[in-house]
Structures are given as structure tokens and as C-alpha cells.
Amino acid sequence: MTYRFQPLSNPILILSDSAELLTGLARIGRDLATLLSSMPQFRVGYAGMHGRGRRRFPWAQYSFPDDGQFGAPYLPGFWHDFAGEEQGVILSAWDLSRMLWFGQPGGLGKDMESFLGDGRGFAKWGYVPLDSTGPDEDRLPTGVMAAAAGYDRLLAASQWGQGLLSRSGLQADWLPHGIWIDKFHPIPDARKLLGWDDSAIVLGCNMSNQSRKDWAVAFECARQLRLEYGARFHFWAHTDVPVRYWNFYALAADYGVKDCLEVTLDQTDEQLALRYSACDSTILPSAGEGFGYPIAESMACGTPCIVTDYAAGQELVDEDARVPAMAYRVDTVHNVRRAVLSGYGFAARADLQIRGKREDAQGVKEQMVRKVEHLDWRKLQHPWKKWLLRGIGQ
């Protein structure tokens, strides 16, 4: 006699950067997998790029290399191992520019078309942190729009993203992803703990080392503030690797800020919160953001963040903390529209915020914390659970 067990939960496989990484997308995927693992209605798997797997994660783990195919050749095997013949969900927490193959599998070969096409054994859900329009500033670029059209269900990470999807003829809900307020909050005596002079003027910038994050603008901003404040000025720059798309050592030399620069790598959330708390202002000179973790983290620690007035990154801050783009350029094979920025613009806005925090540190701190308190994951878990359960008819 053969015994068969009826599954008691719905298999859901997350596709994103590996959950063990420090990227923003990895953090989104990790937090969603953690939330789903707390829900008895779901059985969670995770297909992560760049990963090796960690024993401590309470879900099935699958890893694949960064070979430019974003998991396409590996996904059928992962799903078969994880779910077998069960019906379930594959949820991508990734940029749609990576997902044309997933949304529109025509031309990938008979096996992949069968796996991803009509009659497949799973629904396609996408959590999409949109960070740019196409050449038409009111619509997605053609390839991204085609990828989005192949999903059964979309959830935007911002109101801006939801509006962009709507103007492109696509339906989507929206929910922000959160931060852990128990880790990111104002830390008393942060400068004393770091050994920083209380009279110093400190600017912070936390961005990965990729083309979209304009580190040249960050260093240009630091140079202008150094000219304004002299030896009192201190520039804290946090990144994943100091030499890749940008060379931090060359930037520091060319912009004349080597002697006031502190570069950190591989910081824990607690260590980042300490530095955010100690800054007078932070900046995020990005050519387009789908959310912008450093914006929310800095504000949760009581420190204003200066951002680009474009895409979703500007939603959390007031107008006096937004820097208009000098121009826009169409970038990469995906034809996305990117902002062209000026360090002078960021320096002027940062200077205003620095002076404001110096004049009323407690008032600014409380204002910043209030602006992002709705992003506490403990509050967001309830609307997230509703959205997830609605997708399986509960």
C-alpha cells in the first residue's frame, strides 16, 4: 500500500538575490521569506543568486551563479525539487528588467516555454521596486513592460511605482517594505561611542558601488562642504567594495577629501545605526531608487537624508531634502531613464539640513523618526499578510 500525504500549505518559492547577502534586494527577500515562514498557509523556498546557503534560515535554500541569466536555467529543477507536482507560487523580488524571460518565455525552447507558459504548476507573483521610467517619462520601457505583463499578480514597492504601472496599462497594489526599528533608531552619545569630535560636521553616504549610485556626485558634495566647514568636516562613506565601478581612492584624491574621509565595509545594522545617529545629514545621490533603504534607515536614526527628486526615493522626504535632476539620460539595454546629478545641488541641500539639525537637534530627530515610523516591519506585517493570503483565496 502506498501512503500519500495531502499538503497542508502552499509552496511559495522566492527568487531574488541570495538571502545571505547585504544588498537591498536580498534584505527584501530575506524579510519576506521570514514573514512567510511564520504563516502556516505557506511552505517557503528561496532561490538566491550568489548564495551558498546558511543553516540558520528556516526555509529550503537553492543557489545559482551570477551568469547573466538570473536563474532561468536552474528554476525548473529548483521548483521540481521544492514543490514537485503541487500547485504553488513563484514570487520574484527583483527588478523587472531582469525578468523578461520569466514573464515572456517565448523563444526559450520547448521545455522552458512549457514550464513557464500556460498550464504551468504555479502562479507568477512579482514584488517590484521600480526605480525608473522609460524614455517616455510616464511609462515603463518596452522590455520592462513586457516582463510585467507576464505576471499573474504584481505588487509595487512604492506609490510612485504603482502609478507608473497604472500609466503603463498594468494593474498592481502597492506596499512598502520595512525596516527593523528595534535596530534602526537614534542612539544616544553615538559620537562619543565612535570617538568622533562633537564639534565636527559629519556627512554620511551609504550606497553600493554600482553605476546607478553616483559616488562622483557624493565626493563632489563632500568637497563643497569641506570648503565650507574646513577642518571640522568629516565624510563617512559606506559601501560593499571600494573599487569596482567607482574607485574610492581615486575619487578621494581627485576631490581632495582623503584626510576627512572614513570608508566602512561589512557593517552590521547596529553599527550602521550608530553612524547614522552620529551624522548631521546623509545623502543618497542615486540616478533612480525603488525604495532606498539608507533613506529610511537614516531618518529612523533621527538624521535627515538628501535624495534625488526622481522615482520612489523621494517619497519619504520633504521638498527641501530633494535635489532636482540637471537632466536625464537613457541608460543600458533596458532603455531606462536615469537622473543626471550635481554635487553642488546635494551640498546646498545638505548644508541646510546640517544647519537645521545643529539648531534643533531634538526637534529634527523627532520629526525624522515620525516620518518613517509606518515602515516598522512589526506594523507592516499585517497588510503584507493580508495581501499574501488574498492571493491564495484566504
Side-chain angles (χ1 to χ4, degrees), residues 353-389:
Q353 297 297 331
I354 288 168
R355 294 180 189 278
K357 191 173 181 183
R358 286 272 154 174
E359 292 172 3
D360 184 13
Q362 188 60 33
V364 169
K365 183 187 301 181
E366 292 173 357
Q367 180 188 29
M368 293 297 108
V369 170
R370 283 196 303 271
K371 284 182 175 295
V372 295
E373 60 187 3
H374 66 288
L375 296 176
D376 186 346
W377 260 118
R378 292 169 295 185
K379 296 178 180 179
L380 281 175
Q381 65 175 311
H382 303 296
W384 264 101
K385 285 181 177 180
K386 288 181 180 179
W387 185 83
L388 291 163
L389 291 174

Side-chain angles (χ1 to χ4, degrees), residues 172-389:
D173 299 314
W174 87 274
L175 277 174
H177 46 85
I179 58 176
W180 293 102
I181 299 297
D182 59 332
K183 295 180 179 179
F184 292 101
H185 56 81
I187 298 177
D189 299 320
R191 290 198 173 188
K192 183 177 180 181
L193 293 170
L194 288 167
W196 292 357
D197 190 333
D198 200 49
S199 66
I201 303 298
V202 183
L203 178 75
C205 184
N206 176 7
M207 299 192 296
S208 58
N209 192 340
Q210 55 180 266
S211 61
R212 181 166 53 90
K213 316 290 188 175
D214 202 330
W215 276 105
V217 167
F219 276 83
E220 183 180 53
C221 173
R223 175 182 175 82
Q224 296 308 308
L225 292 174
R226 174 62 185 274
L227 293 174
E228 174 71 23
Y229 291 105
R232 296 173 61 199
F233 179 72
H234 182 79
F235 181 36
W236 164 56
H238 178 73
T239 194
D240 50 343
V241 57
V243 179
R244 188 165 59 201
Y245 189 90
W246 305 97
N247 183 326
F248 276 41
Y249 307 111
L251 286 171
D254 287 337
Y255 283 98
V257 294
K258 285 196 300 183
D259 60 338
C260 63
L261 173 67
E262 176 186 352
V263 177
T264 60
L265 313 169
D266 300 321
Q267 297 284 286
T268 65
D269 288 347
E270 291 80 6
Q271 290 170 324
L272 288 174
L274 187 64
R275 283 168 169 76
Y276 284 132
S277 299
C279 287
D280 291 292
S281 176
T282 63
I283 58 173
L284 191 71
S286 170
E289 285 296 310
F291 174 76
Y293 267 115
I295 304 169
E297 292 168 352
S298 179
M299 294 171 70
C301 294
T303 299
C305 185
I306 313 303
V307 306
T308 307
D309 192 12
Y310 173 60
Q314 45 76 35
E315 287 191 346
L316 294 175
V317 308
D318 292 335
E319 189 173 352
D320 62 359
R322 303 176 196 165
V323 180
M326 298 174 61
Y328 294 93
R329 59 185 173 85
V330 175
D331 188 35
T332 76
V333 296
H334 308 293
N335 293 341
V336 294
R337 188 171 181 258
R338 296 297 190 197
V340 179
L341 306 172
S342 163
Y344 293 89
F346 274 86
R349 288 286 197 271
D351 189 37
L352 288 175
Q353 297 297 331
I354 288 168
R355 294 180 189 278
K357 191 173 181 183
R358 286 272 154 174
E359 292 172 3
D360 184 13
Q362 188 60 33
V364 169
K365 183 187 301 181
E366 292 173 357
Q367 180 188 29
M368 293 297 108
V369 170
R370 283 196 303 271
K371 284 182 175 295
V372 295
E373 60 187 3
H374 66 288
L375 296 176
D376 186 346
W377 260 118
R378 292 169 295 185
K379 296 178 180 179
L380 281 175
Q381 65 175 311
H382 303 296
W384 264 101
K385 285 181 177 180
K386 288 181 180 179
W387 185 83
L388 291 163
L389 291 174

